[in-house]
Every structure is written in C-alpha cells, then in structure tokens.
Amino acid sequence: MSEVQLSLRSYAKILSHVVQYPYTAVNGVLLTPASPERKEGDGNLRRKEGNERVEVVDAVPLFHYNISLSPMLTVALTQIEEYAINRGLRICGYYHANEFHSDNDIGFVAARIADRIAENCEEGACLLLVNNEKLDHIATELPFKVFFPVRSTDRIDWKEGEEPILQYGERGLTLGPEIMKTQLYQSVVDMDSHYDDVRCHWDNAALNEVVTLFTESIPDLEEVEE
Amino acid sequence: AVVSTQSTGEHVRCSDKIVELGEYALAHYSSNLGNEKWAVYEQLCVAALDLCPVKMKVVNRCIQKLAEQFPSSLRVSMLEGLKSEYLKKWDEALEMYNGMIEYEPTFPAPYKRKVAIYKAQGKVSDAVSELNRYLTTFSCDHESWLELADLYIGQQSYKQALFCVEELLLQHPHNHLFHQRYADILHTLGGKENLEASCKYYCRAAELNSSNVRALYGVLMSSSTLASIGKISAKAKSDNLTLAAWACDMIEEFYKSQRVGKSVILETASVLDKLSLK
C-alpha cells in the first residue's frame, strides 16, 4: 500500500497557503528527491506503483486566484520543474484545497490538474486534498486526504489511500499551531504572488528558515521509523 | 473587511488585523473618531464574523451599538443577516434579505448576499441565476461581473464567462487586467481561432501595462502554440515565432529591471527557452 510522508517544510508551506487565503481555493505541487538512477531519455519508464512511500520534501504553492485557467499553469509548472531539476528534485504530486469548508471531495479542476501532473511523473504520484473540516484540529492530526492514481487506458482514477505521515510524528504536529499563533502563514509566497511581484520567490526561503529553527528546537529528535 | 497594503496596493482581507485595530481604536479613541466610529463598528463587525466563534461577543456588541444609534437601518439589518449566515441559518437570512429587497430594491447588498448563500449551499445554478438577475439592474457593478465570470469558469462554461468579461471590457476598455482575463479564458478554451484572439488580447494587455508579466507570458504561450500548429501558413508561423521571441525578450528585461537575483534570471532564461519550444 502506498503512503505519503510529509516533511515539516512541505507541511508548513501547504498549511500557510491554505490559511493565508481562507476565502478561496488554493493549490500547489509537491516535490520529492529525483531518483539518481533514472536518466533522461530512458524509454523504459516503468511505473512502480502500489507499494511505495512518496517522500514529500518540499511544496510549491501555485495559485489562490484564476486556479483553473490554463496558460499560467503551464508557465508555473515549467518554472517549478526547472527549479526542481536544479536542486535534484522532481514534482511528485499536487495539493488542493476547495473553496468551501464543507467541500472535501476531488472536483473537476483538481482532478484535471492532478491528472496532468501524474502523467508527467516518472514513478508514483499523489494527490493531497486538504480536508477543510479538519483544519480546526491541526494540533492532533493532519488535515489531509491522500489519493493515488489508478491508471487505465484512457483515464486516471484517484483512489483514496492511508492518511499521510508527518516528519517527526506527534512533535511535528506542534508546528501547525505554532504557525497559527505566530501568524507565520502571512509570509507565504505562491506563484500568483510571484507574478504580481517577481521579486517574491516561490521557494519561501523565509518559511524554510523558521521551520529549520523549529526543528532544531524539538528535543530528542528522531526520525519516524521506516 | 479589507485593508490596502502599501507594497502592491492590493486589497487584502486581513480580518484579524482589523479586529485588533478596530477594538483598540474604539476602546481608546472613541471620542476622537466622532461620527466615524459607526463606520468602524460596521467594519469591525464584518471582520469579527470571519473570526467567529471566538469573536461572537464583538459581533453582538457592534450590532447592538449600531442598532441603538441607527434603528431600522438597512445596513444594520445586513449585519444581522451576515450573522445568520455565519450560523448557517440560511432560510432566516434569505427571508431577511428578500424582505430588504422588497422594501428597498435599489440597495445592492442583499442581492449579493443571496448569491453568497447559494454558493455556500453548493447551489451554483441558483447563484448564477440570482447574479444574472442582479446584473440586469446593476450592470455597472464590475466586481459582480467578475464574480459571475468566476462562477461560469468553475462550471467550465467558458463562453458565458467570456460574455461577462466582454461587459467589463465595454465599460473599462483601458483596464489591462480585463483584457488579460479575457485572453486567459480564450486560451483555456483552446483551438486556433481562440488562440489567435487570446494572443491579440494578451498583446493589448501588455500594451496597456508593460508590467503585466502574466500578459507577456500569455503572448509567449499563445504565439508559440500557434507557431507549432501544422495547418498555418508560413507567414503566420514566422509572425508567431517573432512574437514569441519578442515576448521572451520583454519578460527577461522585465525580470532584470526588477533586480531579481542572478540565479532567478538564469532559471527564467532556461524556462523561456522551454516554453518557446512547446
């Protein structure tokens, strides 16, 4: 059974993005380390799905406005791909938060973008849907549903999987309330912010630094068991 | 509740700041504010509703103060309606808004709240009908045309969305954002004629505002897609390639003029190469 592990860095960005724009849908992409053995032009792209862990090390928030209109999505994905390649990463998934509190299903727009991202994934892909109703309980659980692609000849169906695991488990969960309390979410930059002002960069370096400091402050740090 | 930011001049919804500042202002500067304090109560109330249930006492206090000062005011009734909406008492809120519309049909706010209620209930077609009805009377409300366009886009009814933006273009022919929006929808629809039209509208948007980087990317995307369509003439292909190259130069120059970091410039150059090839 496939599962998703979220790094604190990626969780911080997704949560900040959702909370910063609570009155609209938001979305973004998930990044994972690129496999070193996979070379470009390898015609034998075997999709090893069904029994793997997708390690989400980072996330890039995309839009909070004009979510479903096409040209900027292509531009943004190309920019993020370039950014990822230069850092030994690749796009491995998509996250989406619907506009309404009670709407926690994959809609047409989310499915279409997730399909597109899955089609470009060498191996494995996942869709992280924010469960808006769980945003009140981030002190005790992650507010996400995870879906994995089931591919047939002409379509992709997204089947719900196990809930994701957060890096550092329960201690990692304290990051959520910390972000809320310190209003750190206000510094999140997405691609929309970048196109409004190109000096803002979607790598969210400021958020990264805070997450690093937070991680260093966790006592008796150990990785979640494999 | 909105407040302008200094950096981009963009209106943002910062309800937590408004509540903090509003409560402080009313507590410490009530006499200095004079009659402006009623506007502050109103704005504070709306912002506090965003922060409920924690700030429900603030909401109630604002409504009480305003009702005392302005008995039988429509604007105060609107706040009561908003509170009912927060409590998900949809029927109660709808009844209140319908009553207000009957009493004062030229007051726009209750019509829009009805649309908001239908949206919250997931009744998108009711929201669309109501908003269409509203716009036959209040056709200069450009935010509502944009809202209706968004509703149509959410349902993939792109042609209807185009119609809404056309109304905006008629009323605001020099607004680069509306030209860009129109182009975005055309581009999303796809097909040779729509792409050609979208390219023109992106160009117009960039002409009206050369800092609209989305418009520049739009020119690049539409012209390079057109150049790669098999069934176009050699001249059309050449013109599109020239346009795509122009857009790349404009984008690169723009990034440089904004003094972004060197690595960003290099990455952008590589991205532009990839986008032109697509």
Side-chain angles (χ1 to χ4, degrees), chain B residues 88-187:
Chain B
K88 295 197 165 76
K89 293 181 179 171
W90 308 123
D91 293 333
E92 196 178 287
L94 278 171
E95 205 184 301
M96 204 177 299
Y97 296 140
N98 282 328
M100 288 166 71
I101 289 171
E102 209 183 300
Y103 177 74
E104 184 50 82
T106 61
F107 183 42
Y111 297 90
K112 299 207 251 190
R113 289 321 305 169
K114 284 180 68 179
V115 175
I117 290 176
Y118 292 137
K119 277 181 74 176
Q121 292 177 310
K123 296 178 179 170
V124 183
S125 31
D126 287 338
V128 166
S129 312
E130 191 64 40
L131 196 44
N132 267 303
R133 215 172 302 139
Y134 167 79
L135 282 164
T136 53
T137 316
F138 299 89
S139 60
C140 291
D141 185 340
H142 79 260
E143 281 182 358
S144 293
W145 282 114
L146 275 174
E147 177 72 37
L148 186 54
D150 279 344
L151 283 173
Y152 280 132
I153 289 168
Q155 295 194 297
Q156 300 98 55
S157 303
Y158 297 117
K159 298 223 163 81
Q160 282 92 324
L162 284 173
F163 177 82
C164 296
V165 187
E166 278 159 18
E167 280 293 325
L168 289 170
L169 286 170
L170 282 170
Q171 294 173 26
H172 307 271
H174 301 296
N175 186 317
H176 66 105
L177 293 169
F178 297 155
H179 287 269
Q180 176 224 307
R181 201 80 219 278
Y182 197 69
D184 284 338
I185 302 170
L186 284 167
H187 194 284

Side-chain angles (χ1 to χ4, degrees), chain B residues 36-100:
Chain B
E36 290 224 18
K37 71 171 179 255
W38 306 115
V40 175
Y41 272 118
E42 188 183 28
Q43 198 176 17
L44 173 59
C45 186
V46 175
L49 276 163
D50 264 353
L51 304 177
C52 278
V54 176
K55 294 288 178 182
M56 183 52 87
K57 282 198 184 134
V58 177
V59 172
N60 289 331
R61 190 165 60 92
C62 292
I63 293 178
Q64 186 196 6
K65 289 277 186 188
L66 285 164
E68 277 167 14
Q69 182 69 15
F70 304 100
S72 59
S73 151
L74 285 179
R75 278 165 71 169
V76 177
S77 301
M78 284 303 302
L79 296 174
E80 305 253 22
L82 283 175
K83 181 180 161 184
S84 297
E85 282 187 57
Y86 165 74
L87 294 168
K88 295 197 165 76
K89 293 181 179 171
W90 308 123
D91 293 333
E92 196 178 287
L94 278 171
E95 205 184 301
M96 204 177 299
Y97 296 140
N98 282 328
M100 288 166 71

Side-chain angles (χ1 to χ4, degrees), chain A residues 6 9-19 21 25-31 56 58-64 67 80 91-98 109-110 113-114 117 126-130 143-145 188-191 202 204:
Chain A
L6 291 177
R9 176 183 281 199
S10 57
Y11 178 49
K13 289 177 188 178
I14 301 170
L15 184 65
S16 298
H17 197 208
V18 170
V19 173
Y21 303 103
V26 297
N27 62 358
V29 294
L30 308 171
L31 302 178
V56 177
D58 205 348
V60 179
L62 278 170
F63 305 123
H64 57 273
I67 273 192
I80 297 169
I91 296 178
C92 67
Y94 170 72
Y95 75 82
H96 189 104
N98 288 320
V109 170
I113 302 178
I117 287 177
C126 63
L127 161 54
L128 209 67
L129 189 69
V130 176
F144 303 119
K145 294 189 200 179
V188 75
V189 171
D190 63 3
M191 297 307 286
W202 62 83
N204 284 287

Side-chain angles (χ1 to χ4, degrees), chain B residues 190-254:
Chain B
K192 179 166 169 285
E193 278 82 36
N194 289 326
L195 280 174
E196 281 167 354
S198 85
C199 195
K200 293 197 172 98
Y201 278 93
Y202 280 129
C203 287
R204 182 73 180 128
E207 194 181 15
L208 289 165
N209 185 335
S210 53
S211 305
N212 185 338
V213 75
R214 288 182 180 88
L216 293 172
Y217 276 119
V219 173
L220 170 59
M221 295 305 296
S222 50
S223 56
S224 51
T225 308
L226 282 165
S228 63
I229 292 179
K231 292 177 192 166
I232 59 165
S233 66
K235 178 169 192 313
K237 180 165 180 163
S238 156
D239 286 345
N240 278 308
L241 286 173
T242 311
L243 199 47
W246 170 84
C248 283
D249 287 341
M250 292 297 290
I251 295 169
E252 254 192 276
E253 261 182 56
F254 180 71

Side-chain angles (χ1 to χ4, degrees), chain A residues 23 65-66 68-72 74-75 78-79 82-83 86-87 99-100 108 183 185-186 192 194-196 198-199 201, chain B residues 10 13 16-17 119-120 153 156 181 184-185 187-188 202 213-214 217 221 254-255 258 260 264 267 270-271 274-275 278:
Chain A
Y23 47 85
Y65 186 59
N66 297 341
S68 56
L69 295 179
S70 72
M72 291 320 292
T74 307
V75 175
T78 311
Q79 283 180 289
E82 186 70 19
Y83 170 84
N86 291 339
R87 286 154 187 82
E99 184 179 352
F100 294 111
F108 174 81
Q183 301 188 331
Y185 52 83
Q186 291 178 358
D192 264 332
H194 171 73
Y195 299 128
D196 287 341
V198 298
R199 292 167 301 181
H201 200 285
Chain B
E10 178 192 311
R13 188 162 160 173
D16 42 6
K17 284 203 171 73
K119 277 181 74 176
I153 289 168
Q156 300 98 55
R181 201 80 219 278
D184 284 338
I185 302 170
H187 194 284
T188 306
Y202 280 129
V213 75
R214 288 182 180 88
Y217 276 119
M221 295 305 296
F254 180 71
Y255 272 76
Q258 295 295 301
V260 298
V264 177
E267 255 177 29
S270 180
V271 166
K274 289 187 177 159
L275 289 172
K278 281 185 181 168

Side-chain angles (χ1 to χ4, degrees), chain A:
Chain A
M1 186 54 170
S2 307
E3 67 175 11
V4 170
Q5 181 183 348
L6 291 177
S7 69
L8 286 185
R9 176 183 281 199
S10 57
Y11 178 49
K13 289 177 188 178
I14 301 170
L15 184 65
S16 298
H17 197 208
V18 170
V19 173
Q20 177 64 348
Y21 303 103
Y23 47 85
T24 180
V26 297
N27 62 358
V29 294
L30 308 171
L31 302 178
T32 195
S35 348
E37 318 86 57
R38 177 102 30 223
K39 294 184 195 115
E40 255 195 72
D42 180 346
N44 246 348
L45 288 177
R46 263 168 276 115
R47 297 185 200 270
K48 299 179 295 186
E49 277 154 13
N51 200 14
E52 64 199 270
R53 164 178 287 185
V54 180
E55 193 198 341
V56 177
V57 298
D58 205 348
V60 179
L62 278 170
F63 305 123
H64 57 273
Y65 186 59
N66 297 341
I67 273 192
S68 56
L69 295 179
S70 72
M72 291 320 292
L73 178 61
T74 307
V75 175
L77 288 176
T78 311
Q79 283 180 289
I80 297 169
E81 265 167 15
E82 186 70 19
Y83 170 84
I85 289 171
N86 291 339
R87 286 154 187 82
L89 301 170
R90 66 174 177 87
I91 296 178
C92 67
Y94 170 72
Y95 75 82
H96 189 104
N98 288 320
E99 184 179 352
F100 294 111
H101 191 254
S102 49
D103 180 6
N104 296 304
D105 294 313
I106 303 176
F108 174 81
V109 170
R112 198 167 54 97
I113 302 178
D115 284 355
R116 182 173 167 172
I117 287 177
E119 272 152 24
N120 290 319
C121 276
E122 315 167 325
E123 47 178 76
C126 63
L127 161 54
L128 209 67
L129 189 69
V130 176
N131 188 336
N132 295 325
E133 281 161 347
K134 282 197 181 171
L135 286 169
D136 292 329
H137 308 293
I138 53 173
T140 48
E141 56 183 332
L142 289 178
F144 303 119
K145 294 189 200 179
V146 172
F147 297 83
F148 296 98
V150 174
R151 301 168 206 261
S152 40
T153 38
D154 58 347
R155 54 181 281 127
I156 297 178
D157 288 309
W158 291 92
K159 289 277 156 65
E160 192 164 353
E162 297 274 320
E163 285 183 1
I165 308 168
L166 183 63
Q167 191 183 23
Y168 308 131
E170 267 183 28
R171 270 147 325 156
L173 276 176
T174 57
L175 178 59
E178 192 64 23
I179 288 174
M180 298 304 297
K181 195 173 72 172
T182 57
Q183 301 188 331
L184 183 64
Y185 52 83
Q186 291 178 358
S187 62
V188 75
V189 171
D190 63 3
M191 297 307 286
D192 264 332
S193 329
H194 171 73
Y195 299 128
D196 287 341
D197 180 349
V198 298
R199 292 167 301 181
C200 299
H201 200 285
W202 62 83
D203 65 358
N204 284 287
L207 264 172
N208 290 343
E209 259 187 60
V210 176
V211 173
T212 306
L213 287 171
F214 172 84
T215 310
E216 284 165 3
S217 73
I218 301 176
D220 305 323
L221 215 47
E222 14 185 289
E223 284 286 351
V224 173
E225 286 304 305
E226 288 285 324

Side-chain angles (χ1 to χ4, degrees), chain B residues 22-34:
Chain B
E23 287 199 286
Y24 187 82
L26 288 168
H28 299 273
Y29 296 98
S30 184
S31 44
N32 299 55
L33 284 167

